[in-house]
Amino acid sequence: MTKRLLAALAAGVAIALAAAPTLPAAAQTYKAEYKISTVLGAPFPWGVSAQRWADLVKERSNGRIVMKVYPGAQLVGGDQTKEFTAMRQGVIDMAVGSTINWSPQVAELNLFALPFLMPDHKALDAITGGEAGKKLFDIVAAKDVIPLAWGENGFREVSNSKRDVKTPADLKGLKIRVVGSPLFNETFTALGANPTQMSWADAQPALSTGAVDGQENPITVYVAAKLNTVGQKHLTLWGYVADPLIFAVSKPVWDTFSAEDQKLLRETAAEAGQYGKELARKGITEEDPSTLKAIEALGVTVTRLTPEDQKAFQAATKPVYDKWKARIGVPLVEAAEKAVGERK
């Protein structure tokens, strides 16, 4: 073959390559499906907001990025406390996770479980949207999980089958189902209750049979799970702790996305998180108490603690608060306390 012919062939190949369409990296390296882990699915705001995230991403990526929600912590065999570790390892692609469930691996997330730190939604927003919230995201990101946006499961209220709870003395001796967190256990012990740690899957039958007297969860969970049908006729709104959610991506997975798609994931997570907050707060505010009225119409007594009423509960749990403030980190807690004090 002559040199002239070789040169001509080389030139032809170069022209053909230049003319060929450039395939996006996503078409070559992205997964066919990304799994999103959640504890609760629809109709809970938690699961609805996770699905909204998946829908927004699929729509705005023109179907290039497909995400599917797997509720019930099924990606970790139902053990929700293992979700964060699975994300670090890249076993789970994404999650809309609870700060409570992630707190065994990220101690600082216990901030939101400090009893009576946040008196209202404005206080919660001031923390997540301020210096403390940024610090928490930095801490999570340092553990190979990329946090994108805040969501919400809601303030956790207490219900039981025995009596109205207006003072700490009313909790004395009640068997209350709590999540698997030492801080929750210590808080209810300080209030004179008998806390019992169990998964949510086990909690509902336990409430039905009377094995436990009560539970603490956001109103949305109370309604969606129809807890009034398992004897939970006494509901107290005390807002002792909140349960913010975090939209996040495993770092090994995050690093495979282009900068443009990372921006897409972050923006859509923020939108879905805001949507979830609106759902979690709907019908339980002073401006719109429709959900609370509907609960009362079912024969449930709804007790609303005033700030003055809360003082007795705060006093009873102060030793727990102080102990965990040191464990969580005094500077972080003080940043949160400052945000609460300066909220508008």
Side-chain angles (χ1 to χ4, degrees):
M1 188 178 290
T2 65
K3 291 182 178 180
R4 182 177 296 178
L5 181 55
L6 285 172
L9 288 172
V13 170
I15 292 171
L17 289 174
T22 301
L23 293 175
Q28 300 171 7
T29 62
Y30 286 16
K31 293 183 179 182
E33 176 190 286
Y34 291 92
K35 294 178 172 63
I36 306 175
S37 176
T38 68
V39 172
L40 298 178
F44 301 95
W46 191 338
V48 173
S49 61
Q51 186 59 53
R52 174 63 66 94
W53 185 27
D55 291 343
L56 288 172
V57 170
K58 185 175 182 179
E59 174 189 340
R60 296 182 190 174
S61 70
N62 295 317
R64 289 187 301 105
I65 304 174
V66 177
M67 296 152 59
K68 183 177 179 181
V69 179
Y70 287 79
Q74 60 185 283
L75 298 179
V76 283
D79 188 345
Q80 53 218 56
T81 61
K82 293 181 178 179
E83 186 178 70
F84 189 83
T85 298
M87 287 191 72
R88 294 186 70 180
Q89 297 169 343
V91 175
I92 292 177
D93 301 318
M94 304 166 177
V96 179
S98 163
T99 52
I100 296 171
N101 293 334
W102 292 4
S103 63
Q105 290 79 39
V106 188
E108 292 85 354
L109 291 177
N110 282 295
L111 172 72
F112 299 104
L114 282 174
F116 304 101
L117 166 63
M118 299 155 289
D120 50 38
H121 288 118
K122 288 183 178 179
L124 176 57
D125 290 341
I127 293 174
T128 57
E131 178 188 353
K134 184 180 182 303
K135 285 183 177 179
L136 286 170
F137 269 23
D138 289 342
I139 291 168
V140 171
K143 296 180 181 292
D144 295 329
V145 172
I146 307 301
L148 305 182
W150 291 100
E152 189 164 312
N153 193 27
F155 276 93
R156 300 180 74 90
E157 317 296 4
V158 65
S159 70
N160 77 92
S161 60
K162 301 294 186 183
R163 53 183 175 266
D164 295 343
V165 173
K166 299 177 181 179
T167 70
D170 295 325
L171 280 169
K172 187 173 182 179
L174 291 182
K175 296 179 182 178
I176 305 292
R177 177 266 173 182
V178 297
V179 297
S181 164
L183 178 47
F184 281 73
N185 190 71
E186 291 178 26
T187 296
F188 275 89
T189 298
L191 291 169
N194 180 12
T196 303
Q197 296 181 358
M198 63 177 65
S199 71
W200 183 240
D202 294 331
Q204 289 176 285
L207 291 167
S208 182
T209 62
V212 293
D213 302 314
Q215 59 85 51
E216 50 79 52
N217 254 309
I219 294 294
T220 53
V221 175
Y222 183 96
V223 172
K226 299 180 180 179
L227 294 184
N228 63 292
T229 65
V230 289
Q232 298 299 287
K233 297 293 187 178
H234 306 273
L235 175 64
T236 296
L237 308 184
W238 63 343
Y240 83 117
V241 301
D243 186 12
L245 305 176
I246 298 177
F247 288 70
V249 180
S250 168
K251 189 176 187 301
V253 175
W254 179 255
D255 289 342
T256 67
F257 288 111
S258 67
E260 182 180 358
D261 285 334
Q262 288 178 350
K263 180 182 178 183
L264 171 64
L265 287 165
R266 194 181 297 277
E267 290 176 347
T268 50
E271 289 183 41
Q274 181 58 39
Y275 179 65
K277 287 180 184 179
E278 293 169 1
L279 290 179
R281 299 177 187 186
K282 185 177 181 181
I284 62 171
T285 63
E286 290 184 5
E287 297 77 17
D288 175 19
S290 57
T291 298
L292 299 178
K293 289 184 177 180
I295 292 173
E296 289 177 319
L298 296 172
V300 177
T301 301
V302 178
T303 301
R304 299 167 176 81
L305 294 189
T306 66
E308 192 64 29
D309 293 332
Q310 283 185 332
K311 288 182 180 179
F313 290 88
Q314 289 174 318
T317 56
K318 189 176 186 304
V320 177
Y321 186 106
D322 291 342
K323 172 185 174 180
W324 281 85
K325 179 175 181 177
R327 287 189 176 185
I328 293 166
V330 172
L332 176 62
V333 176
E334 288 183 344
E337 292 170 341
K338 181 180 179 183
V340 171
E342 295 177 350
R343 72 190 185 282
K344 296 180 180 179

